[in-house]
C-alpha cells in the first residue's frame, strides 16, 4: 500500500507467524498520532528519548538503553512499576526505543499476567529496518549476553521515520549495512531494488521510509518461510561472524552495524580464498562490495581510529569463540557464484585460520584503513 498526495507517504503490510499476525506500518508522525489517540496506554521508553516525546501526564516507565537494563534481575522492578500503574490484561503497552527496549518489552509483555498486548515504535535504524519484525527477545543473565529469551510478537509495529532525525552517522550507516544484508540475502531482485533507492548517509525521513519498507518486506519473506531459524533465516547472519569479532575485539569502539558492514566485506574477501581452499566456487558480488565500501565512507575516521588501537589477536580470539561454530568447524555465511549466499563449514586448521586472518587484513588494506 503506498499513499501519496494529500497523505504523508506511508507503507503497510502484515507479518504472519504461527502465533498470529501483526501489522507493520512505516511513515512519519506515527508516534505523536498514537500518543494523542491512546492517553491511557503505558509507555515504556528509552530514557534518552523521553524529553522529545511529549509524554507529560502519561504513564511512563523510562529506562536507559544499556545492556545492564536488559538483565533478568531488572525485571521485578519493571513488573512492579506496571503493577503500580494498575496494568491489567486489557492494558496496552507502547514501547519506544531501539533493540534494548524491544528486548525488554517483548519479555515483560509476555510474562506480565501471562501476557499483555504491546505496540512497538523502533527508534534506531537497525531496529526499524531489521529487528522490529521477528518477535524475539534476548535477555542477559549474570553477565552472559542474550542467554535467555522467548518469542512474543507485538500486536503492531509502527516505524516512525521521524526518529531518524536524531541518529548519528554511525547509527545510519550501521542500519543501512544491516538493511543491504537482508536485501542481498533475499535475492538479486531485492538487492537491485535496494540499490535503486541510493541508500546512504545523510538520509531524509522520506528516503528512510522507502528503504525501511524494502528491507522489511525482504525480511518478512525470510522470517515467514523460516520462522524457526532452520534455513533461509540463518543467511541473515551474513557479515555477523566476522563483524562480531571486530565489534568485541575493538571493545565496542566499532559499533555493531558498522562492524557488520565491515564483516560483509571480510566475508566477500574470504569467499575468494575459500574458492582456492575448498573449491566451493565462491565469488563475491562486486556490486555489493562497491556499495558497502561507499556506505562506510562517512564513518572512515572513526573506523581508522578504532583499528589503530585494535589488538588483532583479540579479534581472532573473538572469532574463535563465536557460539555459531561447531567443535571441528567454523561456520560462516559467504557470497557464492550465483549471487546468493551460503552457510559453509570450514575445518578448524592452520590453513583456515590463516585465510581468515588474511581476509581481515586484505579488506582493511584495500580500503586504506591500515
Ligand atoms: N530482539 C531482537 O530481535 C534483536 C535483534 C538484534 C539486536 N537486538 C539487541 O538490540 C540491542 C541493540 O539495539 P539497537 O542497536 O537498536 O540500539 P539500542 O537500543 O542499544 O540504542 C543504541 C543507542 O541509540 C540511542 N537511541 C535510540 N534511538 C535513538 C534516536 N532516535 N535518536 C538518537 N539516539 C537514539 C539509545 O539511547 C542508545 O544510546 C542489543 O542489546 C541487541 O542484543 C535485539
Ligand atoms: Zn546485526
Amino acid at each position: 500500500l503506498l499513499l501519496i498526495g494529500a497523505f504523508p507517504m506511508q507503507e503497510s503490510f502484515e507479518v504472519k507467524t504461527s502465533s498470529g499476525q501483526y501489522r507493520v506500518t512505516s511513515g512519519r508522525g506515527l508516534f505523536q498520532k498514537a500518543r494523542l489517540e491512546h492517553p491511557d496506554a503505558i509507555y515504556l521508553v528509552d530514557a534518552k528519548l523521553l524529553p522529545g516525546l511529549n509524554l507529560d501526564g502519561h504513564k511512563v516507565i523510562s529506562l536507559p538503553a544499556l545492556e545492564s537494563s536488559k538483565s533478568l534481575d531488572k525485571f521485578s522492578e519493571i513488573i512492579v512499576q506496571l503493577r503500580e500503574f494498575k496494568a491489567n490484561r486489557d492494558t496496552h503497552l507502547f514501547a519506544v526505543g531501539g533493540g534494548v527496549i524491544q528486548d525488554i518489552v517483548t519479555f515483560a509483555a509476555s510474562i506480565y499476567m501471562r501476557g499483555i498486548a504491546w505496540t512497538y515504535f523502533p527508534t534506531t535504524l537497525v531496529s526499524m529496518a531489521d529487528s522490529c519484525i521477528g518477535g524475539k527477545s534476548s535477555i542477559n543473565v549474570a553477565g552472559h549476553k542474550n542467554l535467555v529469551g522467548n518469542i512474543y510478537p507485538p500486536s503492531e509495529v509502527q516505524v516512525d521515520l521521524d526518529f531518524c532525525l536524531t541518529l548519528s552517522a554511525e547509527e545510519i550507516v550501521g542500519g543501512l549495512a544491516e538493511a543491504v544484508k537482508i536485501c542481498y540475502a533475499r535475492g538479486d531482485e531485492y538487492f537491485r531494488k535496494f540499490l535503486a533507492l541510493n541508500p546512504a548517509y545523510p538520509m531524509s525521513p522520506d528516503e528512510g521510509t522507502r528503504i525501511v519498507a524494502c528491507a522489511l518486506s525482504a525480511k518478512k519473506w525470510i522470517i515467514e518461510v523460516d520462522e524457526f531459524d532452520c534455513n533461509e533465516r540463518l543467511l541473515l547472519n551474513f557479515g555477523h561472524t566476522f563483524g562480531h569479532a571486530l565489534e568485541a575485539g575493538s571493545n565496542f569502539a566499532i559499533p555493531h552495524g558498522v562492524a557488520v558492514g565491515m564483516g560483509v566485506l571480510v566475508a566477500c574477501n574470504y569467499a575468494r580464498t575459500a574458492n582456492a581452499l575448498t573449491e566451493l566456487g565462491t565469488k563475491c558480488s562486486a556490486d555489493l562490495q562497491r556499495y558497502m565500501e561507499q556506505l562506510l565512507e562517512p564513518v572512515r575516521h572513526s573506523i581508522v581510529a578504532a583499528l589503530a588501537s585494535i589488538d588483532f589477536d583479540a579479534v581472532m580470539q573473538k572469532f574463535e569463540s563465536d557460539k555459531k561454530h561447531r567443535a571441528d568447524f567454523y561456520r560462516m555465511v559467504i557470497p557464492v557464484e550465483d549471487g546468493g549466499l551460503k552457510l559453509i563449514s570450514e575445518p578448524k586448521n592452520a590453513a583456515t585460520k590463516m585465510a581468515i586472518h588474511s581476509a581481515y587484513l586484505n579488506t582493511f588494506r584495500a580500503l586504506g584503513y591500515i
Side-chain angles (χ1 to χ4, degrees):
L1 178 69
L2 186 64
L3 303 171
I4 306 178
F7 302 97
M9 201 184 78
Q10 197 163 309
E11 304 217 10
S12 175
F13 61 86
E14 297 272 337
V15 178
K16 296 181 186 66
T17 73
S18 53
S19 54
Q21 60 183 49
Y22 53 96
R23 175 154 292 281
V24 181
T25 304
S26 50
R28 299 189 62 179
L30 301 179
F31 177 72
Q32 290 307 327
K33 185 166 174 283
R35 178 186 67 84
L36 293 170
E37 287 170 0
H38 299 275
D40 293 332
I42 298 178
Y43 292 81
L44 205 153
V45 308
D46 177 338
K48 185 172 152 188
L49 304 178
L50 185 59
L53 296 178
N54 301 323
L55 283 174
D56 287 353
H58 290 72
K59 295 174 198 157
V60 177
I61 300 172
S62 86
L63 295 166
L66 300 171
E67 283 299 313
S68 55
S69 296
K70 49 176 244 186
S71 105
L72 196 56
D73 321 330
K74 293 273 154 107
F75 277 88
S76 51
E77 284 170 38
I78 297 168
I79 300 301
V80 168
Q81 281 178 286
L82 287 170
R83 181 75 188 96
E84 283 168 359
F85 281 133
K86 301 192 168 42
N88 60 35
R89 302 262 353 225
D90 298 326
T91 300
H92 200 95
L93 205 52
F94 279 23
V96 186
V100 166
I101 297 296
Q102 180 187 357
D103 277 338
I104 292 169
V105 180
T106 303
F107 196 64
S110 73
I111 56 176
Y112 189 80
M113 295 189 172
R114 295 194 200 91
I116 57 174
W118 68 291
T119 295
Y120 182 37
F121 293 85
T123 62
T124 57
L125 187 55
V126 60
S127 60
M128 292 180 184
D130 184 358
S131 54
C132 70
I133 62 173
K136 290 188 206 167
S137 70
S138 300
I139 302 303
N140 306 330
V141 184
H144 301 284
K145 186 168 155 74
N146 294 347
L147 190 62
V148 301
N150 60 356
I151 297 185
Y152 190 75
S155 42
E156 197 178 356
V157 177
Q158 296 207 26
V159 185
D160 184 342
L161 273 295
D162 284 341
F163 285 115
C164 276
L165 291 166
T166 48
L167 293 174
S168 65
E170 275 77 9
E171 291 277 354
I172 300 279
V173 167
L176 292 176
E178 296 268 19
V180 66
K181 169 212 74 176
I182 298 167
C183 295
Y184 194 83
R186 172 70 181 89
D188 199 51
E189 188 197 334
Y190 263 86
F191 177 51
R192 301 289 151 200
K193 267 195 213 170
F194 179 86
L195 291 185
L197 298 170
N198 294 317
Y201 175 82
M203 180 193 83
S204 72
D206 287 337
E207 288 166 330
T209 303
R210 294 186 198 94
I211 294 163
V212 162
C214 181
L216 288 180
S217 64
K219 182 155 177 189
K220 164 190 153 72
W221 181 85
I222 294 172
I223 63 176
E224 283 178 354
V225 295
D226 184 19
E227 187 178 350
F228 299 106
D229 266 337
C230 304
N231 301 302
E232 290 83 357
R233 206 163 170 173
L234 295 174
L235 301 180
L236 294 179
N237 212 32
F238 185 29
H240 277 66
T241 309
F242 291 107
H244 275 150
L246 281 172
E247 185 187 3
S250 70
N251 259 325
F252 302 90
I254 305 179
H256 178 81
V258 172
V260 167
M262 295 168 73
V264 162
L265 291 172
V266 180
C268 290
N269 233 307
Y270 184 84
R272 290 207 198 97
T273 336
N275 192 14
L277 267 179
T278 62
E279 297 179 22
L280 264 170
T282 51
K283 171 179 152 308
C284 65
S285 159
D287 289 343
L288 174 63
Q289 231 174 319
R290 204 172 310 122
Y291 172 73
M292 196 62 92
E293 287 172 13
Q294 282 166 8
L295 176 66
L296 292 171
E297 216 29 53
V299 296
R300 163 183 287 271
H301 287 303
S302 57
I303 297 176
V304 170
L307 290 180
S309 54
I310 207 167
D311 172 0
F312 220 77
D313 290 337
V315 174
M316 289 302 287
Q317 269 169 24
K318 296 289 179 189
F319 184 91
E320 288 270 345
S321 62
D322 193 301
K323 55 185 188 231
K324 300 253 170 13
H325 300 314
R326 296 287 183 269
D328 299 325
F329 294 94
Y330 296 118
R331 306 242 293 165
M332 46 193 138
V333 177
I334 61 168
V336 288
E337 240 162 24
D338 65 1
L341 293 170
K342 188 172 175 179
L343 177 64
I344 60 163
S345 299
E346 296 281 76
K348 288 187 176 175
N349 58 29
T352 311
K353 283 179 196 173
M354 180 91 86
I356 293 167
H357 195 264
S358 307
Y360 275 110
L361 293 184
N362 291 340
T363 304
F364 301 156
R365 283 199 195 105
L367 285 161
Y369 288 163
I370 55 171

